[in-house]
Structures are given as structure tokens and as C-alpha cells.
């Protein structure tokens, strides 16, 4: 996931570099004074012309037309669409079967992620479950005001702000620990030959060669699952066993277009038809999965797989982001008894909850996706998505056994 539209910045250069800080403060103060003066003038003019009544219809119509045109322009940059207005996700630029030479030094691999991104979240979960934290260090970017992934001095003062984290040990944004870059654009540009395309996360980096290994999330989690077992502390865990690969692929072919990407198809739809199609696909699929989970603990039965990890990172964001911001409003996830219990089941697996920084997730959507939320107001955390509620026993230890017993009775 990457937010790529940008804002205009005013840059003033002082070639003498004398008293630059004072100059900057004075310039900023001057601009602020001018802005306040203009705002006050506009308020006074509005009050003089219309008093406490609404502006005339012509003004409202003009502003609405201007905003709609501006919105279409911004959305075309943020979320490319086809002629019908349906969101078309750009493909990852660095895809291949990941192979690492035996001569590659340990800890040469480095993972780049962003906490709001569900695709990056997949890699954090598999990295944690396999015990690869020491073998694959991670740098955690955060979206800037222009939507680009950036690093820098991070203020964690509100990480325990009562909104969601409540003092839990959750992963937090960081500096670039591998290259010391200011943003992901600089990291990608360091590769041989440079790079000027979309600078997305997750991204797996080879530090010794200064090269992008892969920036496709599913390729990375498959590699983490089986390609680094000699370095993994939990090498025996297999999230993609041979006997379940067929089922995993079947579930991925349903979940990815209709749920993982389906919520984005809803939120980034640029026509009513595109939205209606996406929202119907989304909730028809969620209804089907909820019914399936009534007799199966996980998607493929009793075994947690990569398919579950991919579904989980969308579900954990559903009620706090997608239901509201992306207009996925037919149902909340908490209204699905099996899906919500399934999500709590995975959340309660050791190490998974620590990858879920709800403050960073909500800020990354509500305060960055300006075309969808111009006021930048972050809504209150739903009670059903708080850590305390997600920690309630899920009672899903053996639903698959119930289904098998019923099959034996019928036979």
C-alpha cells in the first residue's frame, strides 16, 4: 500500500546561511499573520453579505463543483481506476522467487514496513511467528502529510494515549536502521541503477548489495515461512504445508480480490456502479467465510496458514477504518459471530497483538487520506476493537472437530 499524491511546499532559501533559523521563524510568522488576516477578512465579508444565513446557492454550487473536480484529480493520483471508476491496484515492481546465496552474511536482509499498511502487516506477523526478529531487522516508516513513507525523529508521546494501546508492548515507528535515509524514496534510489517508481512497503532489502530483493508482500511471507528456517527460532512452524497448498491458493483467490483488495475497491471507487459492485462482492464473501468458520477453526481447517494471516490483517482494520472511511457499512465485523471470534483467536496468538498498533493504523488512514477525510478527524476507537475486548476468550479451539463428528454421524 502506498499513498502517492503530494502537497505543494513553499521553500525559501537563504544563500548567506546567516541567521537562517531566525529568518525561517520570521518568514513562518509573517505567513501565519497573513493567513490569519485573510481568514478574518473572509469571515467579516461573509457576515456582512449574508449575516447568519447560508451563502447563496450560486456560491454553494461553485464550491461544490470545484471540490468535485479537485477530488477527482486527487483520487486519480491516489487510486488509479479503470473507465468504470473501479479501483485498479498497481502491480508490485520487484517480484520473483526469493533466493538467498549461502554466502549472504547473516542479518544482511532488512525489512521495511509501515504500520498502517495491511500488506506490510502480513510480513510483521509471519516474521514474529517464525521467530525471525533477530535474523531480519526491521525499519518502520510512517506516512507523511504528502502520503509518502518517511522516517525521522518519532514522537511516541501519544502511543499510550488511551485511544487503543493502553500501555501494551506494541511495535512503533522508527528511524531507517539500515541506511539512515529520510524516506523510502531515498532507500529505493540507493539500488544499483536507481529507481523512480512507486516506493511501497513492505520491501525486503539486501544490505550488503544495496538492492531491493522483493516488494510483494505474499512473496515475502512465503520466503519467511520456509526460506530462512536455519535462522528461525520457530523453524518447525509451517504456515504453508504441502498438503494444504491447494486450499491456501483457493482461499487466496477468493479473499484477495473480494476482501483484501475489496475494501479498497469500496473506498477508492470513483463511481456509484463501481462502489455497488465492490461492496456486494465484499459482503457476499464475508457472509460465506463467516458460515465456513462456523465449522472450521481456520480457513483450511485446524491449521493456521498464510491464508489466515492475509485475511486477519484486513479484518483487524475493518471496524476501525474500512467500515467508516471506506464506506463498508452493510455490517460491522463484530456483527459476524464467527469472523469476529476468528479474528480474536488469531489476535491472541503470542506475538500477534504486538504487531497491531491501532493508533498508527487509524492515523495512517484518517489523517493521511485527505480526499476521503478532508477534516483529518480521527473517530473514537470502537469498543469491540479495543485490546481488552479482543482479549476475551474466543472459544474456537475445536470447531472443525464438531464438523467432522457431524460428517461421521451422517455417514
Amino acid at each position: 500500500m502506498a499513498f502517492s499524491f503530494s502537497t505543494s511546499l513553499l521553500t525559501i532559501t537563504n544563500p548567506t546561511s546567516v541567521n537562517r533559523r531566525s529568518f525561517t521563524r520570521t518568514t513562518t510568522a509573517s505567513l501565519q499573520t497573513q493567513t490569519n488576516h485573510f481568514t478574518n477578512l473572509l469571515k467579516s465579508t461573509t457576515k456582512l453579505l449574508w449575516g447568519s444565513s447560508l451563502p447563496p446557492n450560486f456560491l454553494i454550487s461553485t464550491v461544490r463543483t470545484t471540490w468535485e473536480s479537485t477530488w477527482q484529480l486527487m483520487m486519480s493520483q491516489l487510486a488509479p481506476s479503470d473507465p468504470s471508476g473501479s479501483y485498479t491496484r498497481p502491480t508490485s515492481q520487484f517480484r520473483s522467487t526469493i533466493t538467498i546465496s549461502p554466502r549472504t552474511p547473516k542479518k544482511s536482509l532488512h525489512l521495511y514496513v509501515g504500520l498502517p499498511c495491511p500488506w506490510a502487516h502480513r510480513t510483521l506477523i509471519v516474521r514474529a511467528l517464525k521467530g525471525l526478529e533477530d535474523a531480519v531487522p526491521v525499519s518502520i516508516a510512517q506516512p507523511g502529510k504528502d502520503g509518502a513513507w518517511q522516517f525521522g525523529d518519532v514522537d511516541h508521546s501519544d502511543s499510550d494515549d488511551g485511544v487503543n494501546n493502553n500501555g501494551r508492548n506494541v511495535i512503533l515507528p522508527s528511524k531507517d536502521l539500515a541506511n539512515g535515509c529520510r524516506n523510502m524514496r531515498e532507500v529505493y534510489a540507493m539500488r544499483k541503477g536507481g529507481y523512480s517508481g512507486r516506493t511501497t512497503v513492505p520491501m525486503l532489502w539486501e544490505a550488503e548489495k544495496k538492492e531491493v530483493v522483493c516488494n510483494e508482500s505474499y512473496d515475502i511471507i512465503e520466503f519467511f515461512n520456509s526460506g530462512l528456517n536455519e535462522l528461525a527460532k520457530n523453524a518447525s512452524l509451517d504456515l504453508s504445508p504441502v498438503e494444504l497448498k491447494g486450499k491456501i491458493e483457493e482461499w487466496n483467490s477468493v479473499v484477495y480480490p473480494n476482501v483484501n483488495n475489496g475494501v479498497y475497491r469500496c473506498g477508492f471507487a470513483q463511481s456509484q456502479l463501481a462502489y455497488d459492485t465492490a461492496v456486494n462482492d465484499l459482503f457476499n464473501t464475508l457472509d460465506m467465510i463467516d458460515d465456513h468458520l462456523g465449522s472450521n477453526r481456520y480457513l483450511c481447517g485446524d491449521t493456521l496458514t498464510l491464508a489466515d494471516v492475509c485475511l486477519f490483517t484486513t479484518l483487524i482494520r475493518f471496524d476501525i477504518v474500512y467500515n467508516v472511511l471506506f464506506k463498508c457499512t452493510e455490517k460491522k465485523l463484530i456483527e459476524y459471530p464467527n469472523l469476529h471470534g476468528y479474528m480474536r483467536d488469531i489476535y491472541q496468538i503470542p506475538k500477534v497483538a504486538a504487531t497491531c498498533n491501532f493508533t498508527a493504523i487509524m492515523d495512517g488512514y484518517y489523517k493521511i487520506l485527505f480526499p476521503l477525510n478532508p477534516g483529518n478527524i480521527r473517530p473514537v476507537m470502537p469498543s469491540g476493537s479495543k485490546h481488552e475486548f479482543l482479549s476475551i476468550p474466543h472459544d474456537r479451539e475445536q470447531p472443525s472437530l464438531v464438523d467432522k463428528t457431524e460428517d461421521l454421524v451422517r455417514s
Side-chain angles (χ1 to χ4, degrees):
M1 180 180 71
F3 309 136
S4 57
F5 69 97
S6 61
T7 56
S8 298
L9 300 176
L10 176 62
T11 303
I12 300 175
T13 304
N14 179 6
T16 64
S17 299
V18 177
N19 205 12
R20 180 176 297 171
R21 188 173 300 174
S22 175
F23 175 80
T24 302
R25 283 199 301 265
T26 302
T27 304
T28 302
S30 176
L31 289 172
Q32 186 63 52
T33 300
Q34 294 177 34
T35 301
N36 292 340
H37 177 71
F38 177 76
T39 302
N40 292 334
L41 179 62
L42 184 61
K43 289 181 179 178
S44 299
T45 303
T46 302
K47 186 174 182 180
L48 178 65
L49 291 175
W50 304 300
S52 58
S53 62
L54 289 172
N57 290 336
F58 174 74
L59 179 60
I60 295 175
S61 174
T62 301
V63 171
R64 178 169 183 168
T65 300
T66 302
W67 165 245
E68 288 178 349
S69 298
T70 305
W71 180 84
Q72 289 285 354
L73 176 62
M74 289 189 293
M75 288 298 292
S76 68
Q77 297 296 314
L78 171 66
S81 64
D82 64 18
S84 72
S86 298
Y87 171 56
T88 304
R89 180 174 295 278
T91 57
S92 300
Q93 297 300 304
F94 296 90
R95 288 208 65 176
S96 64
T97 301
I98 303 174
T99 56
I100 299 297
S101 169
R103 293 173 297 192
T104 299
K106 291 183 178 180
K107 295 191 179 180
S108 182
L109 292 175
H110 194 88
L111 179 65
Y112 285 97
V113 301
L115 297 178
C117 175
W119 320 98
H121 195 179
R122 300 173 171 187
T123 65
L124 284 175
I125 290 175
V126 177
R127 170 179 173 268
L129 294 179
K130 290 290 292 188
L132 289 168
E133 296 94 329
D134 294 335
V136 185
V138 64
S139 291
I140 303 167
Q142 57 185 341
K145 290 298 183 182
D146 63 349
W149 295 107
Q150 64 182 27
F151 305 97
D153 294 328
V154 182
D155 180 11
H156 296 316
S157 60
D158 69 341
S159 61
D160 182 18
D161 58 5
V163 174
N164 48 56
N165 294 330
N166 295 317
R168 294 187 298 116
N169 181 26
V170 295
I171 196 166
L172 298 169
S174 70
K175 295 182 179 182
D176 177 5
L177 304 178
N179 296 299
C181 293
R182 294 173 298 176
N183 52 58
M184 286 300 298
R185 189 175 294 111
E186 291 184 358
V187 179
Y188 273 86
M190 291 181 68
R191 65 181 296 270
K192 185 177 180 180
Y195 180 71
S196 59
R198 296 172 65 247
T199 53
T200 60
V201 293
M203 188 264 273
L204 191 61
W205 176 259
E206 219 280 56
E208 292 290 322
K209 295 181 180 179
K210 300 290 184 184
E211 184 57 78
V212 177
V213 177
C214 183
N215 69 349
E216 166 54 45
S217 64
Y218 201 81
D219 293 345
I220 295 173
I221 62 176
E222 283 192 310
F223 175 63
F224 282 178
N225 178 62
S226 59
L228 293 173
N229 278 337
E230 71 278 6
L231 301 175
K233 294 179 180 178
N234 192 13
S236 62
L237 175 67
D238 188 357
L239 297 169
S240 185
V242 174
E243 66 273 14
L244 293 179
K245 283 188 180 293
K247 285 187 176 181
I248 293 171
E249 291 175 1
E250 288 177 11
W251 276 113
N252 288 341
S253 69
V254 172
V255 171
Y256 171 77
N258 299 310
V259 181
N260 298 147
N261 199 46
V263 293
Y264 283 88
R265 289 169 54 213
C266 294
F268 291 165
Q270 296 177 47
S271 72
Q272 188 66 51
L273 176 61
Y275 168 77
D276 290 343
T277 300
V279 82
N280 286 334
D281 290 344
L282 169 64
F283 284 99
N284 286 340
T285 304
L286 289 179
D287 288 342
M288 180 271 290
I289 296 174
D290 187 69
D291 182 65
H292 174 78
L293 292 174
S295 55
N296 292 271
R297 183 174 184 179
Y298 301 116
L299 292 178
C300 296
D302 296 319
T303 304
L304 181 77
T305 67
L306 294 180
D308 298 296
V309 173
C310 293
L311 178 56
F312 171 81
T313 59
T314 297
L315 298 184
I316 200 67
R317 289 162 172 76
F318 198 89
D319 285 359
I320 63 176
V321 174
Y322 305 138
N323 177 257
V324 180
L325 190 64
F326 283 7
K327 306 182 186 73
C328 303
T329 49
E330 184 173 308
K331 289 182 184 178
K332 294 181 180 294
L333 194 73
I334 197 171
E335 296 177 52
Y336 287 99
N338 298 317
L339 268 171
H340 199 269
Y342 163 84
M343 181 182 71
R344 298 201 314 275
D345 186 355
I346 298 175
Y347 181 83
Q348 292 172 29
I349 295 173
K351 295 186 176 183
V352 172
T355 68
C356 303
N357 185 324
F358 297 121
T359 298
I361 290 172
M362 294 184 74
D363 283 351
Y365 284 91
Y366 290 106
K367 295 189 177 182
I368 298 301
L369 293 180
F370 172 78
L372 302 185
N373 189 35
N376 289 337
I377 296 173
R378 181 183 67 191
V380 68
M381 184 78 171
S383 59
S385 298
K386 292 183 177 179
H387 173 70
E388 294 78 11
F389 196 96
L390 295 175
S391 301
I392 294 175
H394 51 78
D395 298 325
R396 291 186 52 79
E397 283 79 3
Q398 294 181 327
S400 302
L401 297 180
V402 175
D403 183 53
K404 293 172 184 175
T405 302
E406 292 175 351
D407 288 342
L408 289 172
V409 171
R410 285 194 293 269
S411 62

